[in-house]
Amino acid sequence: MTKKASAIANSNIALVKYWGKRNEDLILPYNSSISVTLDKIYTHTTVEFSENLKRDIIIINDKEINTQDSEYEEYVGRFLKKLRELYPNKAKNLNAKIVSRNNFPTAAGLASSASGFAALALACNEALELNLSKKELSILARLGSGSACRSIYGGFVEWRKGIFEDGRDSYAEQIATKEHWPDFRIIICITSSKEKKIKSRAGMKQTVLTSPFYKAWLETIEEDIRLVKKGIIEKDFKLVGSVAELNCLRMHSTMITTKPPIIYWNGATIEIINLVLRLREEGIECYFTIDAGPQVKILCLEEFVKDIVERIKEVNEIENIIITSPGDDAKVTNEHLF
Ligand code: 2P0
């Protein structure tokens, strides 16, 4: 039996989005991406490997996952298979007990797979004593879910797409720590906490196959990466916000033009977009970004949070608002969930 190990990883929101894989098995993206890791929104995971377990046992948010399920196969099951292939001396003949909890709605466009697989990779590293570097941890997390490779780091993070077929150069690196830009804020407006209909994994595959705009989207990425990175380093909020907003709309244009169409927005999503545009006209500097779900994330600086939150109340149908700041690296904890 291995030691019991636990880890906590924060979620992240992309400022330059990842959408589309060049290799589905190794989760290698067509494009690089940049994100900000969020405080307050995290996954806490405890892992133990043992020869005494007859099979893997996975409990997420107090619910046992059926390991015959195709969703399990596609996510945690696939990750454990990769882990056992990569580290046969450590993990091959052991079954795992994994207990994991999110402190936010799963599968509602808040990137639960990002924090989930970052926490799982770090907990496995600790339990199996793999002694992985941050780079290797980022690669391991990526094999669970692409966006998870970014949640290994706190602050502002770039996932370089890499060029090698085996994925050895496709991992995340930190651009700046959270202390670099402490007044950066992300206001998350939850417009619906229902599970989304189309998972990112299936959605992005279909976009790559069918959207005529996918090629054009890829052509815009390198410039967006350059500008957002410059904006982060120089703390130029207008530059980061404006490029992130346009990048989000370009990604959604590839989703909307997928066959069949992928439309993650609801009525409140559009209302908040319009509110953000109005606020900017009034001199309140803020920008929106939206991922694979109907939630809207408003980017702003601390000085405008109060005004923006007050005005969001104009929009009906908002279920919840979470105000977040740049968060920490994924970390090991002694608090175990079993
Ligand atoms: C992102 N998203 O960069 C983009 C923006 C959604 C929209 O990363 O198949 O859950 O596990 O690699 O990481 C969501 O995709 O997909 C995502 P997989 P993942 O944050």
Side-chain angles (χ1 to χ4, degrees):
M1 195 190 292
T2 66
K3 69 174 175 183
K4 195 182 282 184
S6 297
I8 288 177
N10 288 312
S11 186
N12 71 73
I13 298 284
L15 301 169
V16 177
K17 310 291 188 189
Y18 146 55
W19 196 250
K21 296 180 183 69
R22 64 185 160 93
N23 180 322
E24 286 174 13
D25 180 49
L26 296 174
I27 311 200
L28 299 175
Y30 270 116
N31 68 278
S32 299
S33 54
I34 292 179
S35 58
V36 52
T37 298
L38 308 177
D39 70 350
K40 283 196 207 161
I41 296 183
Y42 60 84
T43 302
H44 183 177
T45 299
T46 300
V47 178
E48 188 175 62
F49 288 83
S50 169
E51 53 281 333
N52 298 330
L53 289 169
K54 290 202 176 62
R55 57 179 177 84
D56 293 325
I57 296 170
I58 324 291
I59 298 166
I60 300 177
N61 294 332
D62 300 318
K63 208 174 128 214
E64 181 160 359
I65 305 296
N66 178 356
T67 52
Q68 308 300 318
D69 212 323
S70 63
E71 193 176 320
Y72 168 80
E73 288 286 330
E74 217 187 318
Y75 288 87
V76 182
R78 224 187 67 90
F79 175 86
L80 290 174
K81 194 160 164 256
K82 290 273 176 224
L83 182 75
R84 289 177 175 123
E85 282 167 14
L86 281 171
Y87 306 103
N89 297 336
K90 300 273 190 177
K92 200 167 176 194
N93 298 314
L94 302 175
N95 282 318
K97 179 171 178 185
I98 300 169
V99 176
S100 189
R101 248 180 235 148
N102 297 326
N103 73 339
F104 60 94
T106 302
L110 282 188
S112 59
S113 69
S115 53
F117 282 104
L120 183 58
L122 184 54
C124 289
N125 177 51
E126 196 66 13
L128 296 168
E129 297 177 359
L130 302 176
N131 298 316
L132 301 182
S133 64
K134 285 253 194 197
K135 170 181 151 182
E136 291 166 321
L137 269 175
S138 179
I139 289 176
L140 180 60
R142 189 203 77 218
L143 292 168
S145 180
S147 52
C149 77
R150 301 186 307 230
S151 274
I152 294 296
Y153 292 97
F156 298 84
V157 182
E158 178 181 8
W159 174 14
R160 301 221 181 109
K161 65 180 173 162
I163 52 167
F164 291 110
E165 283 300 311
D166 64 2
R168 67 183 185 272
D169 57 346
S170 185
Y171 53 85
E173 283 187 330
Q174 192 176 54
I175 298 170
T177 63
K178 64 172 194 173
E179 288 81 13
H180 168 73
W181 207 348
D183 55 342
F184 193 96
R185 294 289 176 275
I186 308 95
I187 304 174
I188 301 173
C189 307
I190 312 268
T191 64
S192 168
S193 51
K194 286 197 206 106
E195 289 230 355
K196 63 191 176 202
K197 288 193 210 88
I198 306 165
K199 287 202 169 288
S200 296
R201 189 161 295 180
M204 65 176 81
K205 184 175 176 184
Q206 199 61 15
T207 297
V208 171
L209 287 173
T210 65
S211 172
F213 297 164
Y214 191 70
K215 190 168 165 278
W217 148 258
L218 288 181
E219 284 166 6
T220 65
I221 298 290
E222 285 311 311
E223 181 66 355
D224 285 359
I225 292 275
R226 189 182 73 77
L227 292 172
V228 169
K229 220 189 306 190
K230 180 173 184 286
I232 290 167
I233 289 163
E234 294 173 3
K235 294 202 271 184
D236 180 342
F237 181 73
K238 192 179 173 138
L239 180 60
V240 171
S242 57
V243 175
E245 187 177 281
L246 198 52
N247 177 271
C248 151
L249 289 171
R250 286 176 181 151
M251 176 187 69
H252 280 272
S253 77
T254 73
M255 294 165 161
I256 291 166
T257 51
T258 294
K259 229 165 116 180
I262 304 168
I263 302 173
Y264 286 117
W265 302 358
N266 60 28
T269 312
I270 296 182
E271 274 195 59
I272 302 168
I273 291 175
N274 283 320
L275 174 67
V276 168
L277 298 181
R278 278 203 305 279
L279 287 169
R280 276 218 296 278
E281 277 175 10
E282 295 170 20
I284 298 177
E285 188 84 40
C286 60
Y287 298 87
F288 63 83
T289 188
I290 305 159
D291 293 289
Q295 327 319 344
V296 183
K297 292 92 181 191
I298 302 177
L299 309 173
C300 66
L301 294 175
E302 160 63 21
E303 62 187 299
F304 289 123
V305 168
K306 207 163 156 268
D307 288 344
I308 295 168
V309 169
E310 194 53 40
R311 296 291 297 280
I312 292 169
K313 291 177 189 157
E314 286 172 18
V315 180
N316 294 322
E317 297 166 55
I318 291 191
E319 291 184 8
N320 198 4
I321 295 172
I322 310 168
I323 301 164
T324 65
S325 306
D328 284 317
D329 288 21
K331 58 175 187 282
V332 172
T333 168
N334 290 328
E335 263 180 64
H336 301 308
L337 296 176
F338 63 90

